[in-house]
Amino acid sequence: MGIAMTMHEFLEDSHVRYDIAKHNRTGSSAMTARVSHIPGREMAKGVVLKWDDSYLLAVVPASRQVDLGKVGAIVGDKVVLASEEETAALFPDCEEGAVPVFGAPYRIACMIDDELDTDQDVYFEGGDHRTLVHVTGKGFEQLMYGMPRAQISR
């Protein structure tokens, strides 16, 4: 499959340099980081949360988990993990379970974890379980411009 069309267009429109690498199929971002020899703190993953009647994309390092209590405290309401079916419907050009890290091109609110160190390179899945996208930390900051940052992982 390769990089999802929506993600590809977003990257191209943003004029951020990126590299793509193929890897063996993995079942999680943490496993992708391991097989690609990337520190988990440099591998970003998207986690879809259900919030009221809408959704929120939490972007955290692959080595950490979203803290639902912290996110709920920030948004002022209870949040829960979205179901696989809900998530798949939000990202129709991505393989099931390959959640992008960009909310903007999919028209979904997004929040980034402070633990995602953008002084380093940042890696993320490209919309399937075999494609890895790499950007510089500055490139990631540019792609995520205007997205709120907070400590939302544990």
Side-chain angles (χ1 to χ4, degrees):
M1 177 182 166
I3 189 166
M5 186 57 71
T6 304
M7 291 178 67
H8 175 74
E9 289 173 358
F10 180 69
L11 287 164
E12 290 295 319
D13 290 347
S14 299
H15 304 288
V16 170
R17 296 185 89 190
Y18 64 95
D19 303 309
I20 297 174
K22 295 291 184 181
H23 60 83
N24 290 332
R25 182 177 175 79
T26 60
S28 71
S29 295
M31 286 176 61
T32 299
R34 258 193 308 273
V35 302
S36 301
H37 308 289
I38 297 165
R41 70 183 179 280
E42 293 180 15
M43 179 82 185
K45 68 178 178 181
V47 180
V48 180
L49 307 177
K50 194 166 186 176
W51 168 39
D52 199 20
D53 287 331
S54 59
Y55 297 95
L56 173 67
L57 181 64
V59 181
V60 300
S63 58
R64 300 182 61 91
Q65 294 180 327
V66 175
D67 187 324
L68 298 176
K70 287 180 181 177
V71 175
I74 291 167
V75 300
D77 202 357
K78 182 179 177 182
V79 296
V80 296
L81 291 173
S83 70
E84 294 269 339
E85 294 80 21
E86 290 169 314
T87 300
L90 294 172
F91 309 107
D93 62 344
C94 296
E95 281 186 12
E96 188 171 314
V99 178
V101 296
F102 306 122
Y106 293 95
R107 303 196 190 309
I108 300 169
C110 183
M111 182 180 290
I112 306 162
D113 187 60
D114 279 341
E115 293 293 321
L116 198 55
D117 184 1
T118 54
D119 289 336
Q120 305 289 327
D121 291 335
V122 178
Y123 301 83
F124 48 89
E125 295 282 6
D128 65 9
H129 298 283
R130 292 184 180 92
T131 306
L132 185 66
V133 180
H134 161 252
V135 296
T136 64
K138 287 185 182 199
F140 188 75
E141 285 293 326
Q142 183 178 335
L143 291 166
M144 298 302 214
Y145 180 77
M147 299 298 137
R149 292 186 78 101
Q151 185 179 7
I152 59 170
S153 70
R154 52 183 159 92

